[in-house]
Each structure stands twice: as structure tokens, then as C-alpha cells.
Amino acid sequence: MTLPNTNDNVDVYRDTLVRYLGYSNEVGEAFRSLVKKQLVHASYAVAIGYVLCDTVDKAKKKHKLPEALGGGTRGALVASGDTLIWQMLASVAIPGFTINRICWGTRMILKKTKAAKAGKWISTIVGLASIPLIIHPIDRGVDQLMDNTYRKYVS
């Protein structure tokens, strides 16, 4: 049974609307065919900023714990590495690439149809609609990857 969050155990970066900043690059990728490249790059800056803030937050929280509970300097380094790698893969790199390819594929398919003129808008809509569908499978895949690599060797 999961206890409801209280102010003592709310993770701002994972349990609040701040979490959606991590998806900004997917939104940027969905709109890539309609906006200037700089706007897409800015969406990545927002997502990476979110990742870095979450990484610092997890490191600070671990550093405050006694070493016997996995805290201290080593705990902070392990936690920051885990958070940085996991977030960069699960929140930035893999979903950004996935949405980029979904939108590109949609445009390629539409080029061969009568809907080619609306292809940029349709690919954007398909990309945005894909975001909720890709999040959990990517998260689970990155969890498995981390469990079989980084976490296996630093624990």
C-alpha cells in the first residue's frame, strides 16, 4: 500500500507538475516541423535543466543521510550518477529520439497521400498523442538497463 504524500515526503521533481518539465523536449520534437530549430533546442535546455535540478536534489538528500543508511559523500555520488543517467535516458534522449522518428515517419507516410499538405500538422498531433504512450515503456526499459548495469556495479 502506498501512503499518500505529505509535505515531508513529496518529491518535487517526481510527484508534482514540475515533472512535466522533463517532457518539454518531446513537445519540442513534436513541433519540430512547425517551429524554428532554436525553439526545439530550447525545449531540450528546459528538459536538461529539469534533469540537472533533480540530480542535485537527490545528491543533497543522500548526502544528508548517515553513511550507514547509504548517505554521505559516496551515497550522494551514487544517487547523483543514478539520477543523471536514468533521467537523461528516460526523460531526454530516448523519448526525444522516439518522438522525432514517429513524427518523421508520419510525414513520410503522408507524403504519399492526399493529406500531404497537412502533413506537418498531422505529424505534430501524432507526436503529441504518442507522448503518453511511450513514457511508461521507456521508463521500464531504462529501469531494467540501470538495474543490469550501473546499479549492479555501484550497490
Side-chain angles (χ1 to χ4, degrees):
M1 178 177 162
T2 305
L3 296 175
N5 282 327
T6 65
N7 287 340
D8 295 336
N9 64 358
V10 170
D11 184 339
V12 173
Y13 297 97
R14 305 211 181 158
D15 300 329
T16 69
L17 294 177
V18 172
R19 173 69 183 108
Y20 292 106
L21 292 174
Y23 302 126
S24 62
N25 64 305
E26 286 97 307
V27 174
E29 284 295 344
F31 279 95
R32 181 180 284 276
S33 65
L34 297 172
V35 300
K36 291 186 177 189
K37 203 181 286 189
Q38 292 86 347
L39 195 55
V40 178
H41 294 165
S43 74
Y44 274 87
V46 171
I48 292 169
Y50 161 81
V51 168
L52 295 175
C53 288
D54 188 27
T55 300
V56 169
D57 179 63
K58 299 306 173 283
K60 284 182 176 180
K61 287 178 179 175
K62 274 292 191 177
H63 195 265
K64 289 179 183 178
L65 292 174
E67 286 185 27
L69 296 176
T73 302
R74 184 181 189 290
L77 289 171
V78 169
S80 63
D82 189 276
T83 303
L84 181 65
I85 295 167
W86 192 93
Q87 287 281 20
M88 286 301 291
L89 289 171
S91 295
V92 181
I94 297 171
F97 177 78
T98 303
I99 296 299
N100 178 285
R101 296 294 82 195
I102 288 170
C103 292
W104 177 85
T106 302
R107 284 190 313 278
M108 292 303 107
I109 291 168
L110 291 173
K111 275 186 178 180
K112 300 173 184 176
T113 70
K114 293 180 182 181
K117 289 183 181 180
K120 289 180 180 182
W121 279 102
I122 293 171
S123 70
T124 297
I125 292 166
V126 169
L128 291 171
S130 299
I131 294 171
L133 303 174
I134 68 168
I135 292 168
H136 296 299
I138 290 172
D139 287 357
R140 285 191 302 271
V142 173
D143 277 334
Q144 287 180 333
L145 176 68
M146 294 293 289
D147 289 345
N148 291 312
T149 57
Y150 183 84
R151 293 172 183 157
K152 188 175 185 178
Y153 297 106
V154 296
S155 296

